[in-house]
Amino acid sequence: MKNKKEFAAIITEAGNSIKNKTGSWRTMKPIVLKNKCTACGICAKFCPDGAIIIKNKKMSVDYEHCKGCAICSVECPSHSIIMKEEKK
Ligand code: SF4
Ligand code: SF4
C-alpha cells in the first residue's frame, strides 16, 4: 500500500498563533461594550489566543487573531463583551 499524504489546514505546533492570522476562522465576533468595561484584564487572562490587549486602561481585541471562541464573553464579570455573528 502506498503511503499517501493528505494536506489540510492543520496547525502542528503550539504557541504559534502570532504567525497564523486565525481571525479568518471566526464565525462570531466579540464586541466590547466600552461603557461597561472596567479594563480589569480578566478576559485577557482567559483568551487562548492572546488576542486581548489592555493598554492605557482600555481593552481592545486583536481581530486578526481572535477566533471568536467567546471565552472572554463568558468570563467577563461585568458582561461587557457580547458576541455577534461575523459579517464577511
Ligand atoms: S473582563 Fe470585561 S470588564 Fe474586564 S477588561 Fe475584559 S471586557 Fe473589560
Ligand atoms: S472570542 Fe476567544 S479568541 Fe476572541 S478575544 Fe475572546 S477569548 Fe480571545
Side-chain angles (χ1 to χ4, degrees):
M1 181 192 284
K2 276 189 173 177
N3 185 7
K4 189 178 165 196
K5 285 187 180 171
E6 292 191 12
F7 295 96
I10 297 170
I11 290 178
T12 54
E13 2 156 1
N16 67 356
S17 60
I18 279 273
K19 287 187 255 167
N20 293 290
K21 306 284 187 202
T22 47
S24 63
W25 300 4
R26 198 173 52 240
T27 57
M28 298 296 285
K29 183 176 187 176
I31 307 290
V32 188
L33 304 175
K34 294 192 188 288
N35 58 330
K36 291 179 82 180
C37 174
T38 61
C40 68
I42 290 174
C43 54
K45 289 190 172 77
F46 279 93
C47 175
D49 290 307
I52 294 178
I53 302 142
I54 308 280
K55 200 171 176 188
N56 297 329
K57 296 186 180 172
K58 285 190 179 160
M59 176 275 202
S60 61
V61 178
D62 168 6
Y63 288 115
E64 283 198 336
H65 294 96
C66 162
K67 289 188 291 207
C69 67
I71 291 173
C72 55
S73 179
V74 171
E75 296 298 337
C76 174
S78 59
H79 309 289
S80 305
I81 304 173
I82 56 169
M83 300 301 293
K84 284 202 166 173
E85 191 177 340
E86 179 72 57
K87 304 263 189 243
K88 300 214 175 174

